[in-house]
């Protein structure tokens, strides 16, 4: 199954004195992809807050392959590898859109919590159904 | 004359514990708009570096009118108010794309420098011509 | 009267591909100074939230004089130029601690708001008294 | 052997609309600790650049245990778990300084590269010796 894809551009704000994208910023890009994926499924995070729910990153591992640079157009790919009762497991890639080179690969486990108290809770049934049906790129 | 316009979305990375966009991040958004404006004119900043040129912000003033929030779609408007020999004066607005509310208004003076030594230098003639002809939104 | 002073170090996260501190990050540094100044006066922002108050930046102007670079130790100076009923006017400087060079100078107007509704409100009397008495560096 | 330790404070810039520290910012904090550790050993990153060397993050895994909030004082602990020919393996913890609660735990593999060309190279002998001797907190 093909991944969910969005593009993002590298600006000065994303780079560091090494002349490349600062390593933590790939994780910002990956959250943009997760946010747009959920939005494409009909779930804005703002509305989740109103329902007293929030997603937080539980754990992640990331492997940096090649650096991105100023003005590069990036391709953010996302797959949901697992939909559990109270968490989602994402596989995410950042590639250079033009060369196709893989820049960063990560697995990110995102937990669903009650916003008050921050205790784990079940992902709403409507979202689990939407996730099962998958989403195509916007 | 109508402004140059791009849109940008508010993600978690842009917000703070006040529940609104962190005030310095509007200035990041404004730089995205300047970068896309120059790109639309044919001037990528990466290539400017190769020509030993860089733009740096010389000074700015900003007035915050209303806050942006998570998931808001922002409208970034840009006008070049002055093209001088070695600097550009931008007028930039951040608005809520849906409501049209003005969120932040700024004047930003950007100087052209030699990358080695960081001394002011003249904006290249080709860029001055392109700026005079203006640019339409991408 | 001598300014309130704290130091902060330049890390990779603060720099950009130009090899210098990214221009918006000086404004982050300045907020660190304001936060530590208020803390030195006995006012943590966390507790202000509990009292339904928050400070937000109303407007600012900044002038960039000289760039900071990786590993530089910065000296953040702060003066309160005006204490009005519902806002504070800060004059803030960022200097290189070692050379004494002025890097960035800004005036920042910070408004006191009710956290719910974000309407202007009076700065609490206890804070106004503390501000009038001034604060020494931590 | 006791870890290398520095403290850092949580400012507005570090938080997000969830009211907690934005998850990628723990990785910024961890880099501050690595930078200060190398500085305590006598190795400023700026000088490494002059020697045509740079450290880049090769891979990492992180586990988020409990959130940090505005105004929290954090305790950053660092251990070098392995010193290989061309990389270092760091174990890093972020704790709440007051409660002692563990907030985030990560393993970060940092590779030594030639700055031009970004190819792996050996960590300088002087640094390997210093790392073997360890460092005490500043």
């Amino acid at each position: 199954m093909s991944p969910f894809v969005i593009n993002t551009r590298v600006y000065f704000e994303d780079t560091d004195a090494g002349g490349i994208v600062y390593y933590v910023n790939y994780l910002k890009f990956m959250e943009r992809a997760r946010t747009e994926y959920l939005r494409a499924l009909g779930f804005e995070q703002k509305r989740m807050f109103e329902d007293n729910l929030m997603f937080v990153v539980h754990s992640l591992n990331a492997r940096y392959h090649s650096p991105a640079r100023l003005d590069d157009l990036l391709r953010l790919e996302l797959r949901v590898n697992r939909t559990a009762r109270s968490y989602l497991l994402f596989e995410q890639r950042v590639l250079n859109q033009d060369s196709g080179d893989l820049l960063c690969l990560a697995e990110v486990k995102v937990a669903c919590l009650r916003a008050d108290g921050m205790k784990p809770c079940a992902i709403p049934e409507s979202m689990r159904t939407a996730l099962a049906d998958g989403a195509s790129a916007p």
Side-chain angles (χ1 to χ4, degrees), chain A:
Chain A
M1 194 178 144
S2 60
F4 177 83
V5 178
I6 63 167
N7 288 289
T8 200
R9 180 71 73 171
V10 176
Y11 295 110
F12 262 112
E13 64 185 274
D14 304 312
T15 60
D16 69 23
I20 57 181
V21 168
Y22 183 59
Y23 83 111
V24 312
N25 290 337
Y26 294 92
L27 302 176
K28 288 189 181 181
F29 300 156
M30 289 179 184
E31 195 192 85
R32 295 180 194 174
R34 294 194 301 275
T35 300
E36 292 305 334
Y37 174 70
L38 291 175
R39 192 192 319 282
L41 291 180
F43 298 93
E44 283 215 316
Q45 307 225 9
K46 194 156 59 175
R47 266 194 291 164
M48 289 184 61
F49 264 118
E50 291 164 10
D51 293 341
N52 193 29
L53 294 176
M54 63 193 290
F55 277 123
V56 301
V57 173
H58 167 277
S59 54
L60 63 91
N61 61 68
R63 170 82 169 79
Y64 297 90
H65 291 265
S66 187
R69 294 173 192 278
L70 189 63
D71 290 325
D72 285 353
L73 186 63
L74 305 181
R75 175 183 171 86
L76 311 178
E77 294 186 355
L78 171 160
R79 278 188 180 83
V80 181
N81 274 356
R82 186 158 179 221
T83 304
R85 193 180 164 277
S86 63
Y87 69 85
L88 302 171
L89 195 60
F90 293 96
E91 182 188 313
Q92 300 195 249
R93 288 165 199 267
V94 180
L95 303 102
N96 184 301
Q97 174 68 46
D98 295 320
S99 70
D101 288 347
L102 177 62
L103 309 181
C104 183
L105 171 63
E107 257 200 340
V108 185
K109 182 175 168 180
V110 175
C112 188
L113 303 183
R114 293 212 175 281
D116 59 355
M118 302 197 69
K119 296 292 176 199
C121 74
I123 297 169
E125 191 54 39
S126 58
M127 188 183 291
R128 291 170 56 87
T129 305
L131 286 162
D133 294 346
S136 34

